[in-house]
Amino acid sequence: KSSPYVIKKQNASMALLRQTKPIDFPTLNALLSELFGIEEIVSREALYSGYMSQNFHVHTRTKSYFLKCYRDRLNSILHDIKHAEEYFAQQGLPIILPLKDRYQREAFWSQGSWYSIFPFVVGKTAFFRIIISFAALSGLLTAWISSPFFPFLSASRGAG
């Protein structure tokens, strides 16, 4: 039997996961065209969204993308997250990296939130690799986030 504290904490976590921020897709569509050359989004589906982001599968007439809207609580560490993705990809982990915009940025600001857009990968193998990648990223970040010796964090903060 769970304690009342654990149940209350679980309920609060579930409420947090359900929080969504309204997104003005016509405005976002224009920005995606300007920054990435992506044609008009003709449909979208909300995907499972967790603590870190709201996620969408978006479709143009010819391509599909994975759109991630980062939650407000990540604004201060988004730069570190992007460095972590790049670092783990360079170490050989099967990380799917976000597309870079015309300014070579992996994230962009719109409507009060940070966004990244990724190629949409379909298939059992790709899905498994994504799960493993983010599990590894999450575990390693948790262990190393405060370490001054973690290479990309030190470099990103200007430390030696």
Side-chain angles (χ1 to χ4, degrees):
K1 187 174 178 179
S2 295
S3 76
Y5 171 76
V6 171
I7 292 170
K8 190 174 187 177
K9 186 175 179 184
Q10 288 171 342
N11 290 341
S13 295
M14 291 309 294
L16 186 63
L17 291 179
R18 287 189 297 269
Q19 289 178 357
T20 59
K21 182 177 184 172
I23 297 171
D24 176 1
F25 274 93
T27 299
L28 190 60
N29 208 6
L31 190 58
L32 289 171
S33 176
E34 176 189 334
L35 293 176
F36 297 91
I38 292 174
E39 59 187 302
E40 180 183 4
I41 294 171
V42 294
S43 66
R44 65 184 179 273
E45 297 127 33
L47 301 174
Y48 174 76
S49 298
Y51 179 78
M52 294 175 53
S53 63
Q54 288 177 254
N55 304 313
F56 300 90
H57 183 190
V58 296
H59 309 269
T60 68
R61 288 182 201 17
T62 59
K63 293 185 180 179
S64 291
Y65 300 94
F66 179 79
L67 177 69
K68 184 176 282 271
C69 174
Y70 294 94
R71 298 199 189 272
D72 294 339
R73 62 186 130 315
L74 292 181
N75 287 347
S76 63
I77 63 165
L78 184 65
H79 185 71
D80 291 334
I81 290 170
K82 293 301 160 192
H83 279 287
E85 289 171 349
E86 184 68 35
Y87 175 80
F88 288 117
Q90 289 174 356
Q91 301 309 308
L93 285 172
I95 302 288
I96 298 171
L97 294 173
L99 301 176
K100 292 185 179 181
D101 69 10
R102 68 183 191 172
Y103 303 106
Q104 298 303 302
R105 300 176 301 190
E106 296 177 325
F108 61 97
W109 182 258
S110 178
Q111 305 170 44
S113 294
W114 286 102
Y115 292 82
S116 286
I117 191 155
F118 300 78
F120 191 84
V121 178
V122 179
K124 184 176 180 181
T125 303
F127 180 73
F128 177 74
R129 291 173 66 172
I130 292 167
I131 299 271
I132 296 299
S133 298
F134 282 107
L137 175 65
S138 176
L140 288 171
L141 278 178
T142 300
W144 295 338
I145 198 80
S146 62
S147 172
F149 302 107
F150 201 48
F152 62 85
L153 289 177
S154 296
S156 71
R157 292 189 178 138

